[in-house]
Every structure is written in C-alpha cells, then in structure tokens.
Amino acid sequence: MTDSTLANSTPAEQTPPPRAVPVADWVTIDDLFRDPFPIYRRMREEAPVHWVPAVNRYMVTSYDACHTIENDQDVFSANEDGSLMKRAMGHSMLRKDDPEHMVDRQSYGTVLRPKAIKETWLRIFQQNSETYLARLKAAGPGADLVWDYAAPYAAENLRIIMGFHNASQEDMQRWSQTMINGTGNYADDPAVWAASEQSFREVDDAIDEMLPRLRANPDASLLSGLAAMPIPLEAIRANMKMTIGGGLNEPRDVLGVAVWALLDHPGQRDQVLADTSLFPRAFEEAVRWVAPIGMYPRQTTRDTVLEGVFLPKGARLGVVIGAANRDPAKFADPEAFDINREKVPHLAFGGGNHFCAGTWVARSSVADVALPQLFAQLPNLRLDPDNPAVDAGWVFRGMTALPVLWD
C-alpha cells in the first residue's frame, strides 16, 4: 500500500470520535415560554443536541437531527418512560411504536381523511365559521380573534367530528387546555396536574356515555366508528384525549399565528387578498414559522450517535420542531415570515409513521374556510395598536392574545 493510498483511506480508527453533549444550564423554562427562538438559535449554532437540566432531557434543535429521529423508531422510541403525556392523557398512539401504533392509527379509519372532509366536514366548518364570525362581529372591534373566534371555532369543529354530542365547545376547550398543560408540565406544578386529572376523568365519563348511544345510532363521527370496532376501552379513551389536545390547539394556534403574521406583514396580506388561492401558502408558512406543537419526546433504545453527538441508551429527548423549522441550514432567512419562500418540507406535522392524522382537518378548516372568511367579512382587518398581540409557549406555542380592529 502506497503512502498516497494511506492518505486517502478512512479506516474506523481514523473516524473522529463522537462529541460530548454540551450542557445548556443557562436555559430556563420561563425564558422558553416567553420566547424560545433566540435560545434555539444559540443552541443550533453550538451543537444539534444539548442536555438541558431545566427540562431534564436532551433537546434536539437541528432539522436534520429531528428528521432522523422521526424516521427511525427502532432507535428513537415514542414509548418514553415516565411520559408526561401518558400521565395526562393515557397511553395513546402518539406514545407507541409500530406495530402497536399502527393498530391504533388504523382504527381511526377514514374519518379525518380528505375524502371525508370534502363530503362531510367542510360544510360543517363553513357553518361553524359563520356562527363564530357573527359572535366576533357582535363583540365589535377590539375583540380578541383567538378567544372570540379561533378557539370556539376549532373546538366546535372537533366536538362534532369526534362525536361528543354530550359536551359543549367550552368543555372541549377546557379539556384540551388542561390536559395539554399536563403534557407540558415540566415544572411538575401540582395545580396543573389537578386540573389535568379532572379533565381526564370528565372525558372518560363523556366517552362512556356516548359509546352505547353511538352503537345504537351510528353517525359519521370518530367515536361512532370506534364504537363499532373491537378496540379496548382504554385505547379509545387515551386516543380520544390525545385527539382533543392536538385536534384543537393545532388549528386554533396556526389560525391565530397566520392572521397575526399577515396583519404584521401588510405586503404579504395584500398579496394574499389579491389572490386568495395563496391562503394555503400562508397557512404552511405560519405553521413552519411558529409550529403549534413545538416539541415532542422520544427515548433512545440503545447507545447511538446523532449528528456526531453521543447519546446513551435510555436518553430522554425533546425533538424541538420549533427549532428545526427555523434551521438556516434548511430554510433561507428562517426567522422571517415569508409566503414566497422556496418550498421546503417543514416538520410541523411530524413525519414518518407518526405524521399527524389531523393535518387535513387543520388545513381545510383554516386555509380553506377560516382565513378567507375572516378577511372577506371583516373589512380592513388590522391589529389593535393600543393592545399588542402576545404569543407564548414552547412545548405548545400560539397566540395568547390577538386584539383586532376592523371597519
């Protein structure tokens, strides 16, 4: 073997060893809640993975690392030990790997698929939007677009799709928020757990009441389909709670963020109003820019190296979609809201076997119905200069206040 051959060879012993995981002991939960994006920028620049003592897990912030995790359930398991989601909602499909995950997912049938949306749910979305737009108008300029429109609209859509004919949209909002707070309760606040556990019990009671009613009088709802299948009751309960969470907060939060972003970028707002076929692009950019589900957990099944960083077996990870979707290695000028950016797949709805089953509901109810109706029926819709909009959160992120004016 010549010297030049040696120089060009890459035997195992010449491969650089995996780097140690940096410790981000400067990160606090309060800072993440207020504005996580400067934190994510700093972390990404240092390494794709950090150990974060404040949340007791490794946070993964680069696009490539998050994408790798999403597509390798053999190494990165959804079935995390000590899962906050399991405690808050039960052991749903989101905390299972295949084949158990796929059994649960297939039990949902076609209720959330595009054909069902077109044939059954789109008409209901339109009706519900008209109802809550009327309430927003009645509240008058200065009303909060999230709490006077987006939240009840998303909740009522979900209530009907799921088949909770024994509950109200207010119940759905309360159940969703308190259980979501439980899944993100990294501070282990006992008051948060108490509220989450109360909703846990109420949802079980509502399901137990509806199942026999829907077996006797089936309809197009999700619970009706599940009532006709030989599925364990605990699986139905857990998956329904999971759906109440993501199925409400995702459309609510992306709708609020999309309106906020368009109103804060008048050039892009005018572009969309001149060509309403661009509302779906505004939706996709909003969900990339501020992912409504900003982080979800995984756990390593064995020692592994992720993007050059060593992770031991049993490592509890936070897959930070809110950071991955702003990775400059993947997106040009990623901190900017830009509906005209080059189309690059974002990770806001997950990927692999856990791609969000409610994606089509969110897209249809927001991009096809809510956004066009809001801008068509509220002339000169604009932000309230005296009452600023507020966005918050990191495990889940959205608008907590969105006062608006119109003529």
Side-chain angles (χ1 to χ4, degrees):
M1 182 179 291
T2 66
D3 290 343
S4 61
T5 303
L6 277 171
N8 293 324
S9 65
T10 54
E13 60 268 23
Q14 291 187 10
T15 302
R19 62 191 295 187
V21 181
V23 177
D25 53 8
W26 47 273
V27 174
T28 71
I29 291 177
D30 286 345
D31 288 342
L32 286 167
F33 184 84
R34 282 190 296 271
D35 184 2
F37 299 113
I39 295 171
Y40 297 159
R41 284 197 298 272
R42 176 176 168 183
M43 292 171 75
R44 271 195 317 264
E45 289 168 359
E46 293 177 357
V49 184
H50 287 70
W51 171 254
V52 183
V55 297
N56 195 33
R57 66 181 56 237
Y58 299 88
M59 289 178 66
V60 182
T61 53
S62 77
Y63 182 102
D64 286 344
C66 290
H67 188 261
T68 295
I69 291 170
E70 286 185 330
N71 289 280
D72 190 351
Q73 64 177 327
D74 291 336
V75 176
F76 304 101
S77 173
N79 192 14
E80 183 193 41
D81 295 335
S83 165
L84 297 182
M85 175 175 257
K86 289 181 191 176
R87 177 173 174 179
M89 298 179 175
H91 197 173
S92 74
M93 67 177 80
L94 281 187
R95 297 283 77 81
K96 295 180 180 180
D97 302 314
D98 289 334
E100 293 80 10
H101 160 266
M102 190 53 63
V103 170
D104 281 10
R105 183 165 181 131
Q106 288 177 342
S107 72
Y108 272 39
T110 60
V111 174
L112 306 179
R113 304 289 292 183
K115 185 173 187 289
I117 291 169
K118 180 179 179 180
E119 294 179 353
T120 304
W121 307 124
L122 184 60
R123 171 182 53 83
I124 290 170
F125 298 160
Q126 292 166 340
Q127 292 172 349
N128 288 340
S129 179
E130 291 288 352
T131 296
Y132 292 104
L133 258 175
R135 294 192 187 184
L136 181 67
K137 292 175 184 177
D144 192 298
L145 189 137
V146 170
W147 304 113
D148 292 324
Y149 173 75
Y153 168 65
E156 183 66 4
N157 289 342
L158 188 65
R159 185 189 71 82
I160 296 171
I161 290 172
M162 295 187 71
F164 280 108
H165 309 310
N166 57 347
S168 66
Q169 62 88 2
E170 290 88 353
D171 292 327
M172 298 293 287
Q173 288 197 60
R174 178 168 47 83
W175 292 343
S176 177
Q177 194 59 56
T178 52
M179 290 190 295
I180 277 177
N181 290 346
T183 67
N185 192 17
Y186 288 91
D188 200 26
D189 185 333
V192 170
W193 284 127
S196 177
E197 289 161 7
Q198 175 65 29
S199 291
F200 187 107
R201 292 190 294 270
E202 290 181 17
V203 173
D204 282 351
D205 290 344
I207 291 170
D208 292 351
E209 180 183 7
M210 283 308 308
L211 287 176
R213 287 169 55 178
L214 289 168
R215 290 188 183 106
N217 300 283
D219 59 23
S221 70
L222 188 55
L223 264 174
S224 182
L226 293 172
M229 295 183 180
I231 302 169
L233 178 58
E234 289 309 309
I236 294 176
R237 288 172 167 175
N239 288 322
M240 289 298 95
K241 291 175 189 130
M242 174 270 296
T243 305
I244 290 171
L248 198 161
N249 88 294
E250 285 192 62
R252 177 197 69 198
D253 291 344
V254 71
L255 174 53
V257 166
V259 172
W260 177 50
L262 288 172
L263 296 183
D264 200 42
H265 297 77
Q268 295 182 60
R269 175 204 59 200
D270 293 346
Q271 182 184 355
V272 171
L273 294 183
D275 180 1
T276 57
S277 70
L278 294 176
F279 275 119
R281 290 185 66 171
F283 171 92
E284 296 298 336
E285 175 63 355
V287 80
R288 178 207 68 84
W289 189 52
V290 180
I293 297 179
M295 189 277 283
Y296 61 81
R298 288 292 184 266
Q299 184 168 332
T300 56
T301 60
R302 57 179 180 265
D303 290 356
T304 190
V305 176
L306 178 65
E307 295 294 310
V309 179
F310 174 78
L311 294 170
K313 178 181 178 180
R316 301 171 73 234
L317 312 180
V319 185
V320 189
I321 298 304
N325 278 350
R326 293 193 180 197
D327 189 339
K330 198 71 176 180
F331 302 96
D333 193 14
E335 304 294 333
F337 176 84
D338 181 6
I339 64 170
N340 298 303
R341 71 172 57 255
E342 179 184 357
K343 188 175 181 179
V344 176
H346 60 71
L347 303 179
F349 293 114
N353 62 325
H354 281 94
F355 181 76
C356 178
T359 298
W360 298 280
V361 169
R363 284 176 172 152
S364 178
S365 64
V366 175
D368 297 341
V369 176
L371 286 173
Q373 285 194 2
L374 280 167
F375 282 93
Q377 296 193 29
L378 300 175
N380 192 25
L381 181 64
R382 59 195 184 276
L383 298 173
D384 185 344
D386 296 324
N387 295 289
V390 179
D391 58 325
W394 67 286
V395 180
F396 302 92
R397 189 166 182 87
M399 308 305 298
T400 58
L402 187 55
V404 291
L405 304 174
W406 62 90
D407 295 340

